[in-house]
Amino acid sequence: MKGADVLLGAAGLAAFLALGEAVPRLGLVKEAYFPPTSRIADALGQEVTEGAFWTALGDTLTGWALGLAIAVGAGVVVGVLVSVVPYLREATASTIEFLRPIPSVALIPLAVLLYGTELRSVLLLVVYASFWQVLVQVLYGVRDVDPVAEETARSYGLGAWARIRHVLWPTALPYVMTGVRLAAAVALILAVTAELVIGAPGLGSRIAVAQTSQAVPEMYALVVVTGLLGLLINVGARTVERRALAWHQSVRGEVTV
């Protein structure tokens, strides 16, 4: 079955590339706006030979990785604290519901005002967007803890840290990993967006430069790179999730009777 899925995926990709080659060649769209796949591939080959491309890729990955790490750490810590400290969840519920829907792109003027085009501007947007993905999942995971297991742990004299480690964390971990996977994708989106709009160093900045200089094939080639980067991040996040949850029923494929 997996082999058939791979073949179908490859066939779909080949058909998509062939369509991208044929549409401009047939004059359905102007090549000046949408160049054929072959020209984009040539531009991509030229890009990867330039040192500036790899520097930009490194800048994007740096902003993505640092922002994601900060967001995951803060989301897990804040989520656990809010969930286990009495009355803290009720006290913070309205604040969370007010801040969470604010689009990260709305903070671009603030980021520029505070940090200009520095890496910290990218981190501000990435952390803000990714933090909520993790926090919400942690809150849901802690809420899913079996109260019987919690009371049993208390009756055996387990302290707060022991209960968090042996009862709360195993239950919340699947939710945490889902939050990390979602946050990884969101972090990349915001990193590229910040570079594109603010002008911070990275792939987004190179896309903006290519667009303003009418280097259309190069612009599409860089867009393809960001798409491939997103694919790799998603595959990597799913791999980490499966390994971290190898003991979990959802990964082992067990069926509860």
Side-chain angles (χ1 to χ4, degrees):
M1 181 63 69
K2 289 185 178 180
D5 291 342
V6 171
L7 290 176
L8 287 174
L13 178 60
F16 177 76
L17 295 177
L19 183 64
E21 181 73 21
V23 167
R25 297 291 186 187
L26 294 174
L28 299 179
V29 296
K30 293 183 178 180
E31 290 192 23
Y33 303 138
F34 186 80
T37 303
S38 57
R39 287 187 60 195
I40 297 175
D42 291 340
L44 179 58
Q46 182 63 34
E47 282 287 331
V48 298
T49 62
E50 298 179 4
F53 166 79
W54 295 105
T55 301
L57 179 61
D59 291 333
T60 298
L61 289 176
T62 299
W64 168 80
L66 286 177
L68 179 63
I70 295 171
V72 170
V76 170
V77 172
V78 173
V80 172
L81 286 177
V82 167
S83 299
V84 301
V85 176
Y87 307 112
L88 188 56
R89 181 161 188 168
E90 290 76 10
T92 59
S94 58
T95 303
I96 291 174
E97 291 304 317
F98 170 73
L99 294 175
R100 185 165 63 92
I102 298 176
S104 295
V105 291
L107 300 180
I108 288 178
L110 176 62
V112 174
L113 181 64
L114 292 176
Y115 306 119
T117 60
E118 297 179 10
L119 174 62
R120 288 181 290 179
S121 294
V122 177
L123 292 179
L124 174 63
L125 301 177
V126 170
V127 171
Y128 187 85
S130 304
F131 170 78
W132 301 112
Q133 307 294 327
V134 179
L135 176 64
V136 170
Q137 290 297 324
V138 172
L139 294 178
Y140 282 137
V142 175
R143 184 185 297 177
D144 199 39
V145 172
D146 188 351
V148 175
E150 175 72 15
E151 290 302 321
T152 302
R154 289 179 183 273
S155 67
Y156 276 97
L158 270 67
W161 172 247
R163 293 198 304 274
I164 291 174
R165 180 181 177 185
H166 299 291
V167 180
L168 185 151
W169 185 246
T171 302
L173 185 57
Y175 293 87
V176 173
M177 295 310 300
T178 298
V180 171
R181 175 163 48 84
L182 296 174
V186 170
L188 178 64
I189 294 171
L190 265 298
V192 175
T193 300
E195 295 162 357
L196 185 64
V197 177
I198 297 175
L203 291 175
S205 178
R206 284 184 66 85
I207 292 174
V209 171
Q211 187 268 330
T212 55
S213 60
Q214 300 298 312
V216 178
E218 288 75 10
M219 181 191 72
Y220 278 103
L222 292 168
V223 171
V224 169
V225 171
T226 60
L228 293 174
L229 195 58
L231 176 62
L232 291 175
I233 287 173
N234 185 59
V235 171
R238 288 186 177 277
T239 301
V240 171
E241 183 178 16
R242 285 195 298 269
R243 292 188 178 182
L245 300 177
W247 53 270
H248 195 263
Q249 175 180 329
S250 61
V251 175
R252 298 202 326 258
E254 296 179 356
V255 179
T256 304
V257 180

